[in-house]
Amino acid sequence: MELYFPIILDGANGTELQKRGFDGSVCTETWVLEHPEVMQQIQIECVEAGSDVVYAPTFGANRVKLEENGIFNQVADYNKRLVAVSKEAVGGKALIAGDIATTGKFLAPVGDVTFDELYEIYHEQALALEEAGVDMYAIETIMTVPDARAALLAVRDVSDKPVIVSFTCDEKGRTLTGSDVLAALVIMQGMELDVFGLNCSTGPEEMVKQAERLRGYAEVPLAIKPNAGMPETVNGKTVYNCPPEEFARFTDTFAAAGAGLFGGCCGTGPEHIGALKKALAGFSFRRPEPQDNGRIICATEKEVFELDRDIVIDEVIECGADLEKKIRDANKSEKQVIAVRISSEADLDEFESAQYAVRKPLCIVCDDADLLDQALRLYQGRALYAGDLAPEELVPLVRKYGLIA
């Protein structure tokens, strides 16, 4: 399915549900299934106000979040029933995005899951959403690059429908784990992504700076879904004080940065969507134009790097029990690139444990396509390649992981 811009997304589900009776005594997904008419009314109002896409209320319907609420072995059932709520509400008048959000899990050594375990969690939900018949996917409010990569790989293994990946960050453009959203963009847009976005955390005025930073690197359209201003606590309650007209005031600025999708997050409702609809009258999409200075753009999990195209790899680190130390030493050296050779399954085990320590652009040296595929899956940045693999062996990996070959 091809996307045509502008696309108006919906407003907040969570804060709107709270206004209409949700008290947090059970998880949001269970409450929606017990009170489907409330969710449906929100979505009907958003569509009437101008939404072209509504997010199915499946935000926390992954295995981890459901089990935290005592719900076991019901991922498929919950996602299919929740999508059905939205289908009945919009009646074909808007597209339905399968909403996928963070698990709250972290890779070792910070957390206790492997990347493959993270992938399996997302794959289970993505498959359920595909079987439920969603029109597209929104991987949203993402705080870590591994979550985003695992979710996107999982969706791409079950569907070729459009996918939005949207990060949440602070006013400096940093995620919860310290990744620059520029790095997230560079990594994700190399992985068959349709749209990169920002949502939550800040209001539109604060989000403008980050959208303008993305403009110089974006190769895909941007989606902008800010809160209704910065949250404030009044009488013990969180409130958002950005009125609809003020909320929509920055639409032209976002459009100039390459945004083609517009919506609202916490504190926004149908009235904010109506203001966006009005502000987008006469909209003409301006595709992002990334800067082309003849340099290679790559990224670690945290940072973006620009390298000369004639960069020389003259020292390669061999894997082993001391791989992490070698990487840390290389971080301190004058070398522009850290090159690591992957020659065996044992090397992959060492690489998985040590890759998080990489703080410079990474080049993977490998002459086995299967091993290279596994190494790229484990590495949470966007890597360069050196080796003797044929172009036809590299092309699928360039498409899947954004490999720079």
Side-chain angles (χ1 to χ4, degrees):
M1 180 178 72
E2 188 172 354
L3 299 177
Y4 296 93
F5 308 111
I7 292 174
I8 300 178
L9 305 171
D10 58 8
N13 284 342
T15 51
E16 282 298 298
L17 288 171
Q18 290 169 11
K19 290 179 185 177
R20 305 180 192 214
F22 173 57
D23 61 5
S25 58
V26 295
C27 75
T28 306
E29 291 70 30
T30 296
W31 196 89
V32 168
L33 291 176
E34 292 173 350
H35 306 83
E37 71 284 352
V38 180
M39 185 74 253
Q40 289 173 334
Q41 186 59 37
I42 294 169
Q43 295 188 321
I44 288 169
E45 291 175 12
C46 280
V47 173
E48 289 177 345
S51 291
D52 302 302
V53 176
V54 299
Y55 287 14
T58 54
F59 183 89
N62 61 65
R63 184 198 318 162
V64 172
K65 292 301 183 182
L66 290 178
E67 289 182 357
E68 286 176 359
N69 288 282
I71 304 163
F72 296 86
N73 303 315
Q74 296 186 57
V75 170
D77 179 66
Y78 260 64
N79 280 273
K80 291 174 183 178
R81 291 167 63 197
L82 290 164
V83 170
V85 169
S86 293
K87 282 188 172 183
E88 184 177 342
V90 305
K93 296 178 181 178
L95 299 176
I96 296 173
D99 193 352
I100 298 175
T102 180
T103 61
K105 293 288 187 180
F106 300 93
L107 299 186
V110 176
D112 59 357
V113 297
T114 66
F115 186 77
D116 282 344
E117 289 169 340
L118 202 57
Y119 165 86
E120 289 299 333
I121 292 166
Y122 284 120
H123 185 271
E124 182 180 24
Q125 185 181 14
L127 181 59
L129 290 169
E130 184 70 9
E131 292 176 347
V134 297
D135 300 298
M136 57 192 297
Y137 293 84
I139 300 168
E140 59 135 333
T141 321
I142 297 298
M143 295 178 280
T144 76
V145 169
D147 263 317
R149 293 183 73 254
L152 180 56
L153 287 171
V155 170
R156 279 290 170 246
D157 280 347
V158 303
S159 180
D160 60 0
K161 294 171 183 173
V163 184
I164 304 167
V165 172
S166 184
F167 275 75
T168 183
C169 65
D170 63 19
E171 294 177 62
K172 296 180 180 179
R174 295 284 170 174
T175 69
L176 176 68
T177 52
S179 292
D180 189 336
V181 290
L182 287 184
L185 167 69
V186 169
I187 294 164
M188 301 311 301
Q189 70 184 4
M191 297 176 64
E192 299 184 289
L193 179 69
D194 297 283
V195 177
F196 183 87
L198 298 175
N199 78 287
C200 205
S201 292
T202 69
E205 184 172 5
E206 296 80 14
M207 198 171 279
V208 163
K209 179 180 178 181
Q210 300 312 319
E212 291 178 336
R213 291 179 68 222
L214 294 175
R215 175 174 52 192
Y217 293 86
E219 299 171 359
V220 296
L222 302 179
I224 302 296
K225 218 170 185 275
N227 290 342
M230 297 294 286
E232 301 176 10
T233 302
V234 178
N235 297 325
K237 294 184 178 180
T238 301
V239 297
Y240 299 85
N241 292 318
C242 184
E245 292 72 22
E246 175 68 13
F247 180 81
R249 183 167 68 88
F250 300 93
T251 304
D252 285 346
T253 306
F254 288 129
L261 299 88
F262 306 83
C265 206
C266 300
T268 64
E271 63 277 10
H272 293 83
I273 300 306
L276 284 177
K277 178 77 170 179
K278 183 178 179 180
L280 287 166
F283 172 90
S284 180
F285 177 56
R286 285 163 277 185
R287 182 166 290 278
E289 297 181 0
Q291 59 191 21
D292 184 4
N293 55 13
R295 309 195 81 195
I296 297 170
I297 310 297
C298 58
T300 63
E301 181 182 340
K302 308 288 188 190
E303 307 289 347
V304 169
F305 293 86
E306 298 185 20
L307 300 172
D308 293 331
R309 291 195 174 274
D310 58 358
I311 187 76
V312 175
I313 307 299
D314 57 4
E315 184 177 336
V316 179
I317 296 174
E318 304 292 337
C319 289
D322 58 349
L323 178 58
E324 182 178 335
K325 181 181 183 304
K326 291 177 180 177
I327 289 174
R328 291 190 184 280
D329 289 343
N331 287 334
K332 300 173 186 177
S333 74
E334 295 182 359
K335 299 289 184 183
Q336 287 186 281
V337 174
I338 296 174
V340 175
R341 189 187 312 279
I342 304 292
S343 301
S344 68
E345 293 285 344
D347 287 351
L348 287 172
D349 292 339
E350 295 296 336
F351 181 69
E352 180 175 17
S353 299
Q355 67 85 27
Y356 78 95
V358 174
R359 295 291 181 268
K360 291 183 178 181
L362 176 72
C363 178
I364 299 177
V365 182
C366 185
D367 293 325
D368 183 299
D370 289 337
L371 289 176
L372 180 58
D373 188 321
Q374 294 178 70
L376 291 169
R377 184 182 181 87
L378 295 173
Y379 180 53
Q380 299 306 313
R382 187 170 183 180
L384 294 85
Y385 170 74
D388 295 325
L389 289 174
E392 60 268 23
E393 295 178 286
L394 293 173
V395 167
L397 303 180
V398 170
R399 292 199 187 113
K400 187 175 183 179
Y401 301 108
L403 178 65
I404 302 168

